[in-house]
Amino acid sequence: MDANSKDGHTAQPFAEWIQRYGNVYRIELPLLGARTVVTVEPHHIKAILATKFESFNKGTTFQDQMHSLLGQGVFNSDGDMWKFHRGITRPFFTKERISDFDIYDRNAERSLQIARTRIEEGHAIDFQDLVSRFTLDSATEFLFGQNVDSLSAGIAYPPSVSHKNSSFFTEHSSNRFTEAFRDAQRHADRRMPYGTAWPLVEFWEDKVVPLRKTIDEFIEPLMKEALRRREERITQGIKEADEDHSNVLSHLVNQTQDPSILKDELVNLLVAGRDTTASLLTFCVYVLTRHPEIETKLREEILTKVGPRQRPTYEMMREMRYVRAFLNEVLRLYPPVPNDIRNTGDSGVVLPGKNGTETPLYIAPNTNCIYSVLIMQRREDLWGPDALTFDPNRFLDERLHKYLTPNPFIFCPFNAGPRICLGQQFAYHEATFYLVRLLQQFRNFRLSPETRSPPAWWKNVKGLQSQEQIMPIAHLTMAVRDGLWIHMEEFKHEDS
C-alpha cells in the first residue's frame, strides 16, 4: 500500500482485491495485530454509520496512528469527547448562519481576482491551491471569527517558471502551514497498513510531530486571541449567557481553556472546513476541463436563475437543480473522503444480509472495518451500466428512482447517520456559491501540461475511472497530486 500511495490510484488495492475476492473480504495480519474486514456493500455501510452506530468506534489503533496529527479532536475521538465536540459545533450550522453569504462573497472575489491577474500574465493557475486558500480563509472567518488571510500570499507560479515566486510568497505562514498540513496527513496515512506495529516504521522519530508543531504555530494566534477576548469579557463583567457566540471558537473557549484540546479541535475543524470543500471544488473544475458541454449547461442555469453579476441567494440555490445534480455527481465519482474505517471494539457485531435474504455477516471483536464510498459509488450493479460515465442527469431522470431511491444510503459523500457531517449544507452552499461566481466570470477551462498525468497502467485498474487525466490521491481527504494546473478565459456577458 505504501508504494500505491506514491503513484497508485486512490483505493486501487481495494478495487483489485474486490475484483478477486468479492465485495466483502477479510484481511488477517497476525504479526501486525490487525484483523480487517473490507466492504463496499451499501447495507453494511448503512449499519456501520447508522443502524448499528453504537456498536462501532474509531478504534484504538486508528486513534493511536492519528493522535500526533488530530489529537483528541472530533475526527479522532469517541464517546463523551466526541459528543462534547459535536455539541460545541452543532449550533453554528443552522440555516440562518450558513445562509449568510458575506464571508463567501468577500473571499471568492479576492481569489478570482488573483486568478484573473495570473491569467493576464499568461500563466496557468493551480486551481486546487486557489480554492484551498478560499476555503481556508472562509473557514477560519466563519468558525473562528478571524480570517487568516492566506489569499494575501497569492498563488504559486507553475513549476516551469517557479523562479517567479517571490520570497514573500514562499515564506508566507499560510504556505508553511499548508505544506506541513499536507505532509502530516501523508505520513499519518502511511501508518495504516502497519496496524499496531506502525511505531516500528518510525522507530527513531514520529514524523508527524515536527509537522504538527508547524501547524500549531499557525493556529496558536487564533486560540490566544479567542482566550484574550474571553478574559476581556470576564473583566467587563459580561455573563456567558449574555455573550454573542458568533463563532465556534468563542463558544469553545468558554467550555475549556485547555490549550491541547483547543488546538486539536482547531486542526480537526480545518480538515473539515478547508479540505473537504476544496476537494469538491477542485474536482468540479477538473470535470469541466473534460466536459465543456456541462460547463455550458451550468452557465445557462446560473444566468437564468441568478444573472450575470448578482450573487446567489439561498432561494436561488434551491432553484438551480442542474447545479445541485452536478455537485452530487462530482461527489459520487470523487467523494472528498473516499475510504474510511471503524472498529467493532470489545464486542462482535452482526451485519445484516442484503434485503434480508443473504446470510448475515458476523464480525469479531476488535476488528477494523474499512468501507470505500468511492468504489461503492462506481459499481455498475448499483448505479447502472453507465456508472463510470460522468452524467449529472442521473440525479434528474428515471435513473434516480431506478437506482438511487431503493438504496438511499448508497450516496453518502459526507457520511450519514449519527456521525453525519454537521457542515454538509455549509459545504454545499459554499461550493455552489463559488461555482456560480466562477462561471459568471470565467469560461473554457483546460488542463495545463503542468498537471501531472497518470501512468498508462492506470487504464487496467478495474472498478475505477480508467481514463483519468489527473492523479487523485487521498490521505484524510482526496486531492489532485501536485495540483490542478489549468488555463481559463475571462467570460463576458456578451459572449453568452
Side-chain angles (χ1 to χ4, degrees), residues 355 399-410:
N355 298 324
R399 287 171 293 179
L400 176 66
H401 302 287
K402 183 176 182 180
Y403 294 111
L404 306 189
T405 303
N407 298 289
F409 263 79
I410 289 178

Side-chain angles (χ1 to χ4, degrees), residues 270-296:
L270 287 178
V271 171
R274 170 185 178 266
D275 288 14
T276 54
T277 313
S279 173
L280 171 56
L281 285 168
T282 296
F283 286 100
C284 281
V285 169
Y286 166 61
V287 168
L288 295 182
T289 67
R290 302 191 66 188
H291 297 280
E293 75 285 0
I294 291 178
E295 176 194 334
T296 299

Side-chain angles (χ1 to χ4, degrees), residues 235-300:
T235 301
Q236 295 174 354
I238 300 176
K239 297 180 180 179
E240 183 176 340
D242 298 330
E243 293 175 9
D244 175 22
H245 294 303
S246 56
N247 60 78
V248 175
L249 185 54
S250 66
H251 185 42
L252 180 60
V253 295
N254 279 321
Q255 308 304 313
T256 178
Q257 292 80 53
D258 185 326
S260 177
I261 294 177
L262 291 172
K263 285 187 287 188
D264 287 347
E265 186 61 357
L266 292 185
V267 170
N268 282 251
L269 288 172
L270 287 178
V271 171
R274 170 185 178 266
D275 288 14
T276 54
T277 313
S279 173
L280 171 56
L281 285 168
T282 296
F283 286 100
C284 281
V285 169
Y286 166 61
V287 168
L288 295 182
T289 67
R290 302 191 66 188
H291 297 280
E293 75 285 0
I294 291 178
E295 176 194 334
T296 299
K297 288 194 67 174
L298 287 169
R299 184 175 291 106
E300 286 176 354

Side-chain angles (χ1 to χ4, degrees), residues 28-39:
E28 293 281 355
L29 298 171
L31 294 179
L32 300 181
R35 182 192 296 116
T36 301
V37 169
V38 179
T39 181

